[in-house]
Amino acid sequence: MRMNHHLFRRICIKRHLYIFLLLIGSCMNAQVVNVSGNWTATIPAITEAGSNYAGTYDNSVSNGSNQITLSGTLPGSFLNLLSGSGAKMTMRYTPNPWNNALTLSAKRTGGTTTIHGVCVLCTSSINGGTTYIPISQTADTTFVTFTFSGVLGLGNSVTFADINLILQLAGVSVTVPTNTYSARVVFTIVAN
């Protein structure tokens, strides 16, 4: 019985490609963003007719449970794929329920990076996000960028920590119907 070598070769190449992709995928680690804390805006009641709200509130003077801190890890497999182009953290919000007259913005204070593993002449830093950036509910918005350089060695990863997130709620007015409004801010790390 004669076998078609071209068909057999094609099947073998596909099988090897699938195995290769499976092996590469199992070696990759995910980028992780840890968010600790949450913020509930304290909006004072209006006691006089003709008065309006301040309009803008933030958690810049918050402590304890209203303080929000970001931290996480960029694994070596992710760093190697980026080839020095860096990464960015994007954000968007999911309303639950929401009024479109209200807007959310975010900025950061602080932030540190630490390189782990064997790395020659390596540096890393967090850039941007120090002024209020509007958060969209329909598209990802860049919050901060992570840069790193050096000769990546074995077992590398970069951790970031102590990024204090300041959220700002604007548009609060007597024209916005009384309700409990909430939103979840989602952070994602992608290639720059």
Side-chain angles (χ1 to χ4, degrees):
M1 180 172 166
R2 189 156 199 222
M3 207 162 149
N4 187 344
H5 292 289
H6 296 290
L7 179 61
F8 180 70
R9 184 178 293 167
R10 204 176 217 185
I11 291 172
C12 284
I13 289 173
K14 283 183 180 179
R15 186 173 294 159
H16 284 91
L17 182 61
Y18 291 137
I19 292 171
F20 176 74
L21 292 174
L22 182 63
L23 289 173
I24 292 295
S26 66
C27 294
M28 300 287 285
N29 294 322
Q31 308 77 263
V32 176
V33 178
N34 300 311
V35 180
S36 62
N38 60 36
W39 174 51
T40 302
T42 303
I43 300 173
I46 293 180
T47 57
E48 286 185 39
S51 296
N52 201 351
Y53 294 103
T56 303
Y57 302 89
D58 66 33
N59 66 329
S60 62
V61 293
S62 295
N63 52 29
S65 65
N66 280 335
Q67 192 172 17
I68 304 170
T69 305
L70 304 176
S71 63
T73 302
L74 304 174
S77 56
F78 180 68
L79 299 175
N80 288 329
L81 283 176
L82 297 177
S83 301
S85 66
K88 63 183 175 182
M89 182 187 297
T90 62
M91 60 186 174
R92 72 168 48 211
Y93 75 89
T94 305
N96 182 32
W98 197 252
N99 185 298
N100 288 332
L102 302 172
T103 61
L104 277 176
S105 299
K107 72 176 184 176
R108 73 170 174 97
T109 61
T112 61
T113 60
T114 306
I115 299 171
H116 303 279
V118 178
C119 199
V120 179
L121 301 172
C122 292
T123 62
S124 63
S125 63
I126 303 170
N127 305 298
T130 56
T131 59
Y132 281 112
I133 301 167
I135 306 173
S136 172
Q137 102 176 285
T138 57
D140 287 338
T141 305
T142 299
F143 179 48
V144 296
T145 59
F146 301 98
T147 57
F148 43 87
S149 62
V151 180
L152 295 175
L154 299 172
N156 287 327
S157 66
V158 173
T159 58
F160 57 93
D162 303 324
I163 299 175
N164 297 313
L165 179 68
I166 309 295
L167 291 174
Q168 182 184 68
L169 175 66
V172 178
S173 168
V174 293
T175 61
V176 175
T178 302
N179 199 349
T180 300
Y181 298 104
S182 66
R184 176 181 300 244
V185 180
V186 179
F187 297 95
T188 307
I189 297 178
V190 295
N192 202 5

